[in-house]
PDB file of all heavy atoms in Angstrom:
ATOM      1  N   ASN I  10      50.463  -7.079 -67.940  1.00  0.00           N
ATOM      2  CA  ASN I  10      51.763  -7.050 -68.752  1.00  0.00           C
ATOM      3  C   ASN I  10      52.819  -7.838 -68.106  1.00  0.00           C
ATOM      4  O   ASN I  10      52.827  -7.995 -66.849  1.00  0.00           O
ATOM      5  CB  ASN I  10      52.175  -5.567 -69.004  1.00  0.00           C
ATOM      6  CG  ASN I  10      52.544  -4.852 -67.868  1.00  0.00           C
ATOM      7  OD1 ASN I  10      53.641  -5.074 -67.289  1.00  0.00           O
ATOM      8  ND2 ASN I  10      51.727  -3.862 -67.429  1.00  0.00           N
ATOM      9  N   ILE I  11      53.746  -8.382 -68.825  1.00  0.00           N
ATOM     10  CA  ILE I  11      54.907  -9.080 -68.294  1.00  0.00           C
ATOM     11  C   ILE I  11      56.074  -8.170 -68.593  1.00  0.00           C
ATOM     12  O   ILE I  11      56.393  -7.771 -69.698  1.00  0.00           O
ATOM     13  CB  ILE I  11      55.082 -10.546 -68.808  1.00  0.00           C
ATOM     14  CG1 ILE I  11      56.261 -11.194 -68.264  1.00  0.00           C
ATOM     15  CG2 ILE I  11      55.187 -10.557 -70.418  1.00  0.00           C
ATOM     16  CD1 ILE I  11      56.127 -11.447 -66.682  1.00  0.00           C
ATOM     17  N   ALA I  12      57.010  -7.920 -67.541  1.00  0.00           N
ATOM     18  CA  ALA I  12      58.123  -7.065 -67.704  1.00  0.00           C
ATOM     19  C   ALA I  12      59.268  -7.876 -68.246  1.00  0.00           C
ATOM     20  O   ALA I  12      59.610  -9.010 -67.738  1.00  0.00           O
ATOM     21  CB  ALA I  12      58.462  -6.385 -66.392  1.00  0.00           C
ATOM     22  N   PHE I  13      59.900  -7.386 -69.288  1.00  0.00           N
ATOM     23  CA  PHE I  13      61.204  -7.985 -69.772  1.00  0.00           C
ATOM     24  C   PHE I  13      62.351  -7.327 -68.996  1.00  0.00           C
ATOM     25  O   PHE I  13      63.350  -7.903 -68.642  1.00  0.00           O
ATOM     26  CB  PHE I  13      61.410  -7.674 -71.233  1.00  0.00           C
ATOM     27  CG  PHE I  13      60.422  -8.392 -72.151  1.00  0.00           C
ATOM     28  CD1 PHE I  13      60.114  -7.954 -73.361  1.00  0.00           C
ATOM     29  CD2 PHE I  13      59.670  -9.491 -71.694  1.00  0.00           C
ATOM     30  CE1 PHE I  13      59.132  -8.648 -74.259  1.00  0.00           C
ATOM     31  CE2 PHE I  13      58.733 -10.185 -72.446  1.00  0.00           C
ATOM     32  CZ  PHE I  13      58.524  -9.701 -73.799  1.00  0.00           C
ATOM     33  N   ILE I  14      62.264  -6.051 -68.661  1.00  0.00           N
ATOM     34  CA  ILE I  14      63.119  -5.368 -67.674  1.00  0.00           C
ATOM     35  C   ILE I  14      62.281  -4.959 -66.585  1.00  0.00           C
ATOM     36  O   ILE I  14      61.265  -4.253 -66.700  1.00  0.00           O
ATOM     37  CB  ILE I  14      63.877  -4.156 -68.339  1.00  0.00           C
ATOM     38  CG1 ILE I  14      64.748  -4.444 -69.484  1.00  0.00           C
ATOM     39  CG2 ILE I  14      64.649  -3.371 -67.272  1.00  0.00           C
ATOM     40  CD1 ILE I  14      65.916  -5.391 -69.197  1.00  0.00           C
ATOM     41  N   LYS I  15      62.614  -5.343 -65.359  1.00  0.00           N
ATOM     42  CA  LYS I  15      61.691  -5.240 -64.216  1.00  0.00           C
ATOM     43  C   LYS I  15      61.784  -3.860 -63.509  1.00  0.00           C
ATOM     44  O   LYS I  15      62.803  -3.211 -63.518  1.00  0.00           O
ATOM     45  CB  LYS I  15      62.022  -6.306 -63.138  1.00  0.00           C
ATOM     46  CG  LYS I  15      62.127  -7.707 -63.695  1.00  0.00           C
ATOM     47  CD  LYS I  15      60.673  -8.287 -64.030  1.00  0.00           C
ATOM     48  CE  LYS I  15      60.695  -9.722 -64.411  1.00  0.00           C
ATOM     49  NZ  LYS I  15      59.480 -10.195 -65.000  1.00  0.00           N
ATOM     50  N   TYR I  16      60.660  -3.588 -62.924  1.00  0.00           N
ATOM     51  CA  TYR I  16      60.546  -2.400 -61.972  1.00  0.00           C
ATOM     52  C   TYR I  16      60.545  -3.051 -60.574  1.00  0.00           C
ATOM     53  O   TYR I  16      59.671  -3.809 -60.158  1.00  0.00           O
ATOM     54  CB  TYR I  16      59.159  -1.812 -62.330  1.00  0.00           C
ATOM     55  CG  TYR I  16      58.414  -1.037 -61.256  1.00  0.00           C
ATOM     56  CD1 TYR I  16      58.986  -0.087 -60.471  1.00  0.00           C
ATOM     57  CD2 TYR I  16      57.080  -1.272 -61.053  1.00  0.00           C
ATOM     58  CE1 TYR I  16      58.267   0.584 -59.464  1.00  0.00           C
ATOM     59  CE2 TYR I  16      56.277  -0.635 -60.140  1.00  0.00           C
ATOM     60  CZ  TYR I  16      56.916   0.336 -59.329  1.00  0.00           C
ATOM     61  OH  TYR I  16      56.187   0.979 -58.376  1.00  0.00           O
ATOM     62  N   TRP I  17      61.532  -2.598 -59.796  1.00  0.00           N
ATOM     63  CA  TRP I  17      61.546  -3.037 -58.352  1.00  0.00           C
ATOM     64  C   TRP I  17      62.293  -1.990 -57.566  1.00  0.00           C
ATOM     65  O   TRP I  17      63.500  -1.793 -57.522  1.00  0.00           O
ATOM     66  CB  TRP I  17      62.355  -4.340 -58.182  1.00  0.00           C
ATOM     67  CG  TRP I  17      62.096  -4.900 -56.887  1.00  0.00           C
ATOM     68  CD1 TRP I  17      63.083  -4.948 -55.828  1.00  0.00           C
ATOM     69  CD2 TRP I  17      61.069  -5.506 -56.284  1.00  0.00           C
ATOM     70  NE1 TRP I  17      62.551  -5.478 -54.689  1.00  0.00           N
ATOM     71  CE2 TRP I  17      61.326  -5.918 -54.933  1.00  0.00           C
ATOM     72  CE3 TRP I  17      59.665  -5.781 -56.850  1.00  0.00           C
ATOM     73  CZ2 TRP I  17      60.304  -6.528 -54.165  1.00  0.00           C
ATOM     74  CZ3 TRP I  17      58.801  -6.455 -56.042  1.00  0.00           C
ATOM     75  CH2 TRP I  17      59.090  -6.751 -54.707  1.00  0.00           C
ATOM     76  N   LYS I  19      61.277   2.213 -55.720  1.00  0.00           N
ATOM     77  CA  LYS I  19      60.829   3.605 -56.099  1.00  0.00           C
ATOM     78  C   LYS I  19      61.666   4.675 -55.577  1.00  0.00           C
ATOM     79  O   LYS I  19      62.234   4.562 -54.509  1.00  0.00           O
ATOM     80  CB  LYS I  19      59.363   3.829 -55.530  1.00  0.00           C
ATOM     81  CG  LYS I  19      58.301   2.842 -55.917  1.00  0.00           C
ATOM     82  CD  LYS I  19      57.007   3.200 -55.259  1.00  0.00           C
ATOM     83  CE  LYS I  19      55.814   2.291 -55.662  1.00  0.00           C
ATOM     84  NZ  LYS I  19      55.878   0.914 -55.068  1.00  0.00           N
ATOM     85  N   GLU I  22      57.808   7.251 -53.217  1.00  0.00           N
ATOM     86  CA  GLU I  22      56.817   6.236 -53.014  1.00  0.00           C
ATOM     87  C   GLU I  22      55.388   6.787 -53.275  1.00  0.00           C
ATOM     88  O   GLU I  22      54.546   6.147 -53.910  1.00  0.00           O
ATOM     89  CB  GLU I  22      56.847   5.832 -51.473  1.00  0.00           C
ATOM     90  CG  GLU I  22      58.132   5.242 -50.953  1.00  0.00           C
ATOM     91  CD  GLU I  22      58.343   3.748 -51.409  1.00  0.00           C
ATOM     92  OE1 GLU I  22      57.343   3.024 -51.668  1.00  0.00           O
ATOM     93  OE2 GLU I  22      59.559   3.367 -51.539  1.00  0.00           O
ATOM     94  N   ARG I  25      54.951   7.167 -56.905  1.00  0.00           N
ATOM     95  CA  ARG I  25      55.213   5.922 -57.674  1.00  0.00           C
ATOM     96  C   ARG I  25      56.208   6.177 -58.694  1.00  0.00           C
ATOM     97  O   ARG I  25      55.918   5.779 -60.008  1.00  0.00           O
ATOM     98  CB  ARG I  25      53.979   5.183 -58.126  1.00  0.00           C
ATOM     99  CG  ARG I  25      53.173   4.570 -56.924  1.00  0.00           C
ATOM    100  CD  ARG I  25      52.051   3.721 -57.490  1.00  0.00           C
ATOM    101  NE  ARG I  25      51.866   2.510 -56.685  1.00  0.00           N
ATOM    102  CZ  ARG I  25      51.181   2.513 -55.468  1.00  0.00           C
ATOM    103  NH1 ARG I  25      50.691   3.622 -55.006  1.00  0.00           N
ATOM    104  NH2 ARG I  25      51.156   1.407 -54.775  1.00  0.00           N
ATOM    105  N   SER I  31      61.596   0.620 -67.412  1.00  0.00           N
ATOM    106  CA  SER I  31      61.337  -0.850 -67.594  1.00  0.00           C
ATOM    107  C   SER I  31      60.606  -1.049 -68.910  1.00  0.00           C
ATOM    108  O   SER I  31      60.155  -0.130 -69.555  1.00  0.00           O
ATOM    109  CB  SER I  31      60.514  -1.393 -66.378  1.00  0.00           C
ATOM    110  OG  SER I  31      59.267  -0.609 -66.277  1.00  0.00           O
ATOM    111  N   ILE I  32      60.618  -2.258 -69.411  1.00  0.00           N
ATOM    112  CA  ILE I  32      60.091  -2.673 -70.724  1.00  0.00           C
ATOM    113  C   ILE I  32      59.170  -3.843 -70.531  1.00  0.00           C
ATOM    114  O   ILE I  32      59.502  -4.771 -69.774  1.00  0.00           O
ATOM    115  CB  ILE I  32      61.058  -2.955 -71.756  1.00  0.00           C
ATOM    116  CG1 ILE I  32      61.938  -1.646 -72.083  1.00  0.00           C
ATOM    117  CG2 ILE I  32      60.576  -3.468 -73.130  1.00  0.00           C
ATOM    118  CD1 ILE I  32      62.957  -1.836 -73.137  1.00  0.00           C
ATOM    119  N   ARG I  77      43.089   1.608 -51.939  1.00  0.00           N
ATOM    120  CA  ARG I  77      43.818   2.106 -53.039  1.00  0.00           C
ATOM    121  C   ARG I  77      42.900   2.512 -54.130  1.00  0.00           C
ATOM    122  O   ARG I  77      43.173   3.460 -54.901  1.00  0.00           O
ATOM    123  CB  ARG I  77      44.762   0.934 -53.591  1.00  0.00           C
ATOM    124  CG  ARG I  77      46.156   1.141 -52.866  1.00  0.00           C
ATOM    125  CD  ARG I  77      46.999  -0.049 -53.207  1.00  0.00           C
ATOM    126  NE  ARG I  77      47.726   0.123 -54.561  1.00  0.00           N
ATOM    127  CZ  ARG I  77      48.623  -0.752 -54.972  1.00  0.00           C
ATOM    128  NH1 ARG I  77      48.983  -1.806 -54.299  1.00  0.00           N
ATOM    129  NH2 ARG I  77      49.199  -0.598 -56.238  1.00  0.00           N
ATOM    130  N   ALA I 110      49.837 -10.353 -62.162  1.00  0.00           N
ATOM    131  CA  ALA I 110      49.562  -9.078 -61.423  1.00  0.00           C
ATOM    132  C   ALA I 110      48.243  -8.439 -61.823  1.00  0.00           C
ATOM    133  O   ALA I 110      48.104  -7.997 -62.992  1.00  0.00           O
ATOM    134  CB  ALA I 110      50.791  -8.149 -61.671  1.00  0.00           C
ATOM    135  N   SER I 112      47.097  -5.864 -60.420  1.00  0.00           N
ATOM    136  CA  SER I 112      47.071  -4.437 -60.032  1.00  0.00           C
ATOM    137  C   SER I 112      47.361  -3.680 -61.378  1.00  0.00           C
ATOM    138  O   SER I 112      46.844  -2.564 -61.540  1.00  0.00           O
ATOM    139  CB  SER I 112      48.076  -4.016 -58.926  1.00  0.00           C
ATOM    140  OG  SER I 112      49.353  -4.129 -59.386  1.00  0.00           O
ATOM    141  N   ALA I 113      48.102  -4.254 -62.247  1.00  0.00           N
ATOM    142  CA  ALA I 113      48.491  -3.488 -63.527  1.00  0.00           C
ATOM    143  C   ALA I 113      47.172  -3.357 -64.327  1.00  0.00           C
ATOM    144  O   ALA I 113      46.792  -2.264 -64.740  1.00  0.00           O
ATOM    145  CB  ALA I 113      49.602  -4.194 -64.277  1.00  0.00           C
ATOM    146  N   PHE I 116      44.325  -1.235 -62.358  1.00  0.00           N
ATOM    147  CA  PHE I 116      44.421   0.188 -62.300  1.00  0.00           C
ATOM    148  C   PHE I 116      44.378   0.868 -63.642  1.00  0.00           C
ATOM    149  O   PHE I 116      43.837   1.901 -63.829  1.00  0.00           O
ATOM    150  CB  PHE I 116      45.607   0.694 -61.432  1.00  0.00           C
ATOM    151  CG  PHE I 116      45.305   0.654 -60.030  1.00  0.00           C
ATOM    152  CD1 PHE I 116      45.717  -0.456 -59.196  1.00  0.00           C
ATOM    153  CD2 PHE I 116      44.535   1.606 -59.404  1.00  0.00           C
ATOM    154  CE1 PHE I 116      45.434  -0.503 -57.782  1.00  0.00           C
ATOM    155  CE2 PHE I 116      44.219   1.653 -57.998  1.00  0.00           C
ATOM    156  CZ  PHE I 116      44.655   0.531 -57.219  1.00  0.00           C
ATOM    157  N   ARG I 141      49.810   5.099 -63.322  1.00  0.00           N
ATOM    158  CA  ARG I 141      50.993   4.869 -62.618  1.00  0.00           C
ATOM    159  C   ARG I 141      50.814   5.269 -61.114  1.00  0.00           C
ATOM    160  O   ARG I 141      51.364   4.627 -60.178  1.00  0.00           O
ATOM    161  CB  ARG I 141      52.097   5.735 -63.215  1.00  0.00           C
ATOM    162  CG  ARG I 141      53.528   5.504 -62.551  1.00  0.00           C
ATOM    163  CD  ARG I 141      54.498   6.704 -62.669  1.00  0.00           C
ATOM    164  NE  ARG I 141      54.147   7.780 -61.784  1.00  0.00           N
ATOM    165  CZ  ARG I 141      54.022   9.015 -62.074  1.00  0.00           C
ATOM    166  NH1 ARG I 141      54.134   9.465 -63.271  1.00  0.00           N
ATOM    167  NH2 ARG I 141      53.593   9.880 -61.100  1.00  0.00           N
ATOM    168  N   GLY I 143      48.151   4.863 -59.441  1.00  0.00           N
ATOM    169  CA  GLY I 143      47.401   3.728 -58.859  1.00  0.00           C
ATOM    170  C   GLY I 143      48.307   2.618 -58.590  1.00  0.00           C
ATOM    171  O   GLY I 143      48.318   1.997 -57.429  1.00  0.00           O
ATOM    172  N   SER I 144      49.099   2.179 -59.535  1.00  0.00           N
ATOM    173  CA  SER I 144      50.025   1.048 -59.423  1.00  0.00           C
ATOM    174  C   SER I 144      51.011   1.225 -60.448  1.00  0.00           C
ATOM    175  O   SER I 144      50.702   1.500 -61.694  1.00  0.00           O
ATOM    176  CB  SER I 144      49.379  -0.286 -59.597  1.00  0.00           C
ATOM    177  OG  SER I 144      50.298  -1.261 -59.540  1.00  0.00           O
ATOM    178  N   GLY I 145      52.379   1.189 -60.162  1.00  0.00           N
ATOM    179  CA  GLY I 145      53.370   1.631 -61.088  1.00  0.00           C
ATOM    180  C   GLY I 145      53.259   0.824 -62.441  1.00  0.00           C
ATOM    181  O   GLY I 145      53.204   1.450 -63.483  1.00  0.00           O
ATOM    182  N   SER I 146      53.202  -0.526 -62.352  1.00  0.00           N
ATOM    183  CA  SER I 146      53.202  -1.335 -63.507  1.00  0.00           C
ATOM    184  C   SER I 146      51.932  -1.108 -64.407  1.00  0.00           C
ATOM    185  O   SER I 146      51.953  -1.410 -65.595  1.00  0.00           O
ATOM    186  CB  SER I 146      53.357  -2.772 -63.188  1.00  0.00           C
ATOM    187  OG  SER I 146      52.327  -3.131 -62.343  1.00  0.00           O
ATOM    188  N   ALA I 147      50.882  -0.465 -63.860  1.00  0.00           N
ATOM    189  CA  ALA I 147      49.578  -0.150 -64.515  1.00  0.00           C
ATOM    190  C   ALA I 147      49.882   0.831 -65.706  1.00  0.00           C
ATOM    191  O   ALA I 147      49.223   0.831 -66.728  1.00  0.00           O
ATOM    192  CB  ALA I 147      48.607   0.311 -63.619  1.00  0.00           C
ATOM    193  N   ARG I 149      52.187   0.799 -67.732  1.00  0.00           N
ATOM    194  CA  ARG I 149      52.591   0.037 -69.013  1.00  0.00           C
ATOM    195  C   ARG I 149      51.464  -0.677 -69.600  1.00  0.00           C
ATOM    196  O   ARG I 149      51.612  -1.237 -70.794  1.00  0.00           O
ATOM    197  CB  ARG I 149      53.708  -0.944 -68.662  1.00  0.00           C
ATOM    198  CG  ARG I 149      55.001  -0.298 -68.021  1.00  0.00           C
ATOM    199  CD  ARG I 149      56.068  -1.421 -67.865  1.00  0.00           C
ATOM    200  NE  ARG I 149      55.603  -2.520 -67.184  1.00  0.00           N
ATOM    201  CZ  ARG I 149      56.150  -3.135 -66.084  1.00  0.00           C
ATOM    202  NH1 ARG I 149      57.283  -2.692 -65.599  1.00  0.00           N
ATOM    203  NH2 ARG I 149      55.676  -4.207 -65.530  1.00  0.00           N
ATOM    204  N   TRP I 158      58.429   2.010 -70.116  1.00  0.00           N
ATOM    205  CA  TRP I 158      58.056   3.078 -69.075  1.00  0.00           C
ATOM    206  C   TRP I 158      59.310   3.796 -68.795  1.00  0.00           C
ATOM    207  O   TRP I 158      60.323   3.239 -68.339  1.00  0.00           O
ATOM    208  CB  TRP I 158      57.577   2.353 -67.853  1.00  0.00           C
ATOM    209  CG  TRP I 158      57.327   3.217 -66.593  1.00  0.00           C
ATOM    210  CD1 TRP I 158      57.319   4.542 -66.471  1.00  0.00           C
ATOM    211  CD2 TRP I 158      57.072   2.728 -65.239  1.00  0.00           C
ATOM    212  NE1 TRP I 158      57.027   4.940 -65.235  1.00  0.00           N
ATOM    213  CE2 TRP I 158      56.899   3.894 -64.481  1.00  0.00           C
ATOM    214  CE3 TRP I 158      56.995   1.413 -64.725  1.00  0.00           C
ATOM    215  CZ2 TRP I 158      56.520   3.692 -63.047  1.00  0.00           C
ATOM    216  CZ3 TRP I 158      56.626   1.287 -63.388  1.00  0.00           C
ATOM    217  CH2 TRP I 158      56.487   2.417 -62.576  1.00  0.00           C
ATOM    218  N   LYS I 192      50.017 -14.003 -52.822  1.00  0.00           N
ATOM    219  CA  LYS I 192      51.240 -13.936 -52.216  1.00  0.00           C
ATOM    220  C   LYS I 192      51.153 -13.212 -50.872  1.00  0.00           C
ATOM    221  O   LYS I 192      50.339 -12.387 -50.661  1.00  0.00           O
ATOM    222  CB  LYS I 192      52.326 -13.282 -53.069  1.00  0.00           C
ATOM    223  CG  LYS I 192      51.900 -11.863 -53.542  1.00  0.00           C
ATOM    224  CD  LYS I 192      52.712 -11.515 -54.729  1.00  0.00           C
ATOM    225  CE  LYS I 192      52.192 -10.092 -55.320  1.00  0.00           C
ATOM    226  NZ  LYS I 192      52.402  -9.994 -56.779  1.00  0.00           N
ATOM    227  N   GLY I 195      53.032  -8.376 -50.905  1.00  0.00           N
ATOM    228  CA  GLY I 195      52.772  -7.841 -52.213  1.00  0.00           C
ATOM    229  C   GLY I 195      53.967  -7.008 -52.674  1.00  0.00           C
ATOM    230  O   GLY I 195      54.929  -6.632 -51.939  1.00  0.00           O
ATOM    231  N   SER I 196      53.836  -6.599 -53.985  1.00  0.00           N
ATOM    232  CA  SER I 196      54.997  -5.868 -54.560  1.00  0.00           C
ATOM    233  C   SER I 196      55.172  -4.520 -53.876  1.00  0.00           C
ATOM    234  O   SER I 196      56.323  -4.097 -53.686  1.00  0.00           O
ATOM    235  CB  SER I 196      54.657  -5.578 -56.048  1.00  0.00           C
ATOM    236  OG  SER I 196      54.319  -6.749 -56.722  1.00  0.00           O
ATOM    237  N   THR I 197      54.085  -3.804 -53.545  1.00  0.00           N
ATOM    238  CA  THR I 197      54.187  -2.454 -52.991  1.00  0.00           C
ATOM    239  C   THR I 197      55.049  -2.424 -51.735  1.00  0.00           C
ATOM    240  O   THR I 197      56.044  -1.743 -51.595  1.00  0.00           O
ATOM    241  CB  THR I 197      52.868  -1.718 -52.705  1.00  0.00           C
ATOM    242  OG1 THR I 197      52.064  -1.836 -53.857  1.00  0.00           O
ATOM    243  CG2 THR I 197      53.016  -0.383 -52.270  1.00  0.00           C
ATOM    244  N   SER I 198      54.740  -3.298 -50.784  1.00  0.00           N
ATOM    245  CA  SER I 198      55.478  -3.269 -49.481  1.00  0.00           C
ATOM    246  C   SER I 198      56.769  -4.100 -49.711  1.00  0.00           C
ATOM    247  O   SER I 198      57.804  -3.651 -49.209  1.00  0.00           O
ATOM    248  CB  SER I 198      54.616  -3.955 -48.325  1.00  0.00           C
ATOM    249  OG  SER I 198      54.308  -5.281 -48.758  1.00  0.00           O
ATOM    250  N   MET I 200      58.760  -3.929 -52.311  1.00  0.00           N
ATOM    251  CA  MET I 200      59.813  -3.067 -52.935  1.00  0.00           C
ATOM    252  C   MET I 200      60.272  -1.811 -52.062  1.00  0.00           C
ATOM    253  O   MET I 200      61.247  -1.326 -52.383  1.00  0.00           O
ATOM    254  CB  MET I 200      59.509  -2.633 -54.384  1.00  0.00           C
ATOM    255  CG  MET I 200      58.458  -1.754 -54.520  1.00  0.00           C
ATOM    256  SD  MET I 200      58.254  -1.191 -56.268  1.00  0.00           S
ATOM    257  CE  MET I 200      57.374  -2.532 -57.006  1.00  0.00           C
ATOM    258  N   MET I 246      66.818  -9.194 -60.331  1.00  0.00           N
ATOM    259  CA  MET I 246      65.752  -8.645 -59.406  1.00  0.00           C
ATOM    260  C   MET I 246      65.570  -9.614 -58.182  1.00  0.00           C
ATOM    261  O   MET I 246      65.455  -9.132 -57.104  1.00  0.00           O
ATOM    262  CB  MET I 246      64.452  -8.403 -60.163  1.00  0.00           C
ATOM    263  CG  MET I 246      63.382  -8.008 -59.317  1.00  0.00           C
ATOM    264  SD  MET I 246      61.725  -7.753 -60.078  1.00  0.00           S
ATOM    265  CE  MET I 246      61.260  -9.456 -60.317  1.00  0.00           C
ATOM    266  N   MET I 250      65.765  -9.043 -54.257  1.00  0.00           N
ATOM    267  CA  MET I 250      64.705  -9.353 -53.321  1.00  0.00           C
ATOM    268  C   MET I 250      65.279 -10.223 -52.173  1.00  0.00           C
ATOM    269  O   MET I 250      65.016  -9.980 -51.024  1.00  0.00           O
ATOM    270  CB  MET I 250      63.662 -10.147 -54.063  1.00  0.00           C
ATOM    271  CG  MET I 250      62.840  -9.327 -55.055  1.00  0.00           C
ATOM    272  SD  MET I 250      61.882 -10.434 -56.187  1.00  0.00           S
ATOM    273  CE  MET I 250      60.627  -9.366 -56.770  1.00  0.00           C
ATOM    274  N   ILE I 285      60.208 -14.153 -64.116  1.00  0.00           N
ATOM    275  CA  ILE I 285      59.378 -14.472 -62.969  1.00  0.00           C
ATOM    276  C   ILE I 285      59.151 -13.099 -62.248  1.00  0.00           C
ATOM    277  O   ILE I 285      60.113 -12.396 -62.002  1.00  0.00           O
ATOM    278  CB  ILE I 285      60.099 -15.419 -61.972  1.00  0.00           C
ATOM    279  CG1 ILE I 285      60.451 -16.734 -62.778  1.00  0.00           C
ATOM    280  CG2 ILE I 285      59.238 -15.744 -60.811  1.00  0.00           C
ATOM    281  CD1 ILE I 285      61.654 -17.451 -62.177  1.00  0.00           C
ATOM    282  N   ASP I 286      57.962 -12.802 -61.836  1.00  0.00           N
ATOM    283  CA  ASP I 286      57.645 -11.564 -61.098  1.00  0.00           C
ATOM    284  C   ASP I 286      57.651 -11.901 -59.528  1.00  0.00           C
ATOM    285  O   ASP I 286      58.381 -12.751 -59.168  1.00  0.00           O
ATOM    286  CB  ASP I 286      56.352 -10.935 -61.583  1.00  0.00           C
ATOM    287  CG  ASP I 286      56.486 -10.201 -62.921  1.00  0.00           C
ATOM    288  OD1 ASP I 286      57.568  -9.950 -63.238  1.00  0.00           O
ATOM    289  OD2 ASP I 286      55.455 -10.040 -63.586  1.00  0.00           O
ATOM    290  N   ALA I 287      56.904 -11.103 -58.848  1.00  0.00           N
ATOM    291  CA  ALA I 287      56.850 -11.270 -57.349  1.00  0.00           C
ATOM    292  C   ALA I 287      56.045 -12.429 -56.917  1.00  0.00           C
ATOM    293  O   ALA I 287      54.866 -12.260 -56.283  1.00  0.00           O
ATOM    294  CB  ALA I 287      56.385 -10.016 -56.695  1.00  0.00           C
TER     295      ALA I 287
HETATM  296  C1  DP6 A 401      57.710  -7.659 -59.753  1.00  0.00           C
HETATM  297  O1  DP6 A 401      53.366  -2.279 -60.049  1.00  0.00           O
HETATM  298  O2  DP6 A 401      52.648  -4.043 -58.480  1.00  0.00           O
HETATM  299  O3  DP6 A 401      55.875  -7.224 -61.074  1.00  0.00           O
HETATM  300  O4  DP6 A 401      53.684   0.438 -58.029  1.00  0.00           O
HETATM  301  O5  DP6 A 401      53.695  -0.655 -55.686  1.00  0.00           O
HETATM  302  O6  DP6 A 401      51.764  -1.031 -57.273  1.00  0.00           O
HETATM  303  P1  DP6 A 401      53.143  -0.840 -57.194  1.00  0.00           P
HETATM  304  O7  DP6 A 401      53.981  -2.134 -57.709  1.00  0.00           O
HETATM  305  P2  DP6 A 401      53.656  -3.073 -58.840  1.00  0.00           P
HETATM  306  O8  DP6 A 401      55.112  -3.874 -59.030  1.00  0.00           O
HETATM  307  C2  DP6 A 401      55.379  -4.836 -59.997  1.00  0.00           C
HETATM  308  C3  DP6 A 401      56.690  -5.421 -59.698  1.00  0.00           C
HETATM  309  C4  DP6 A 401      57.007  -6.627 -60.617  1.00  0.00           C
HETATM  310  C5  DP6 A 401      57.939  -6.199 -61.722  1.00  0.00           C
HETATM  311  C6  DP6 A 401      57.343  -5.499 -62.898  1.00  0.00           C
HETATM  312  O9  DP6 A 401      56.169  -5.788 -63.293  1.00  0.00           O
HETATM  313  O10 DP6 A 401      58.036  -4.651 -63.456  1.00  0.00           O
END
Side-chain angles (χ1 to χ4, degrees):
N10 65 72
I11 181 67
F13 292 161
I14 297 295
K15 307 291 187 187
Y16 149 52
W17 190 254
K19 299 179 177 75
E22 302 283 336
R25 289 191 143 79
S31 53
I32 295 183
R77 268 174 81 173
S112 71
F116 278 99
R141 188 203 77 230
S144 176
S146 55
R149 298 189 309 231
W158 175 9
K192 54 195 170 212
S196 306
T197 305
S198 60
M200 70 172 79
M246 176 182 74
M250 291 164 159
I285 305 153
D286 283 340

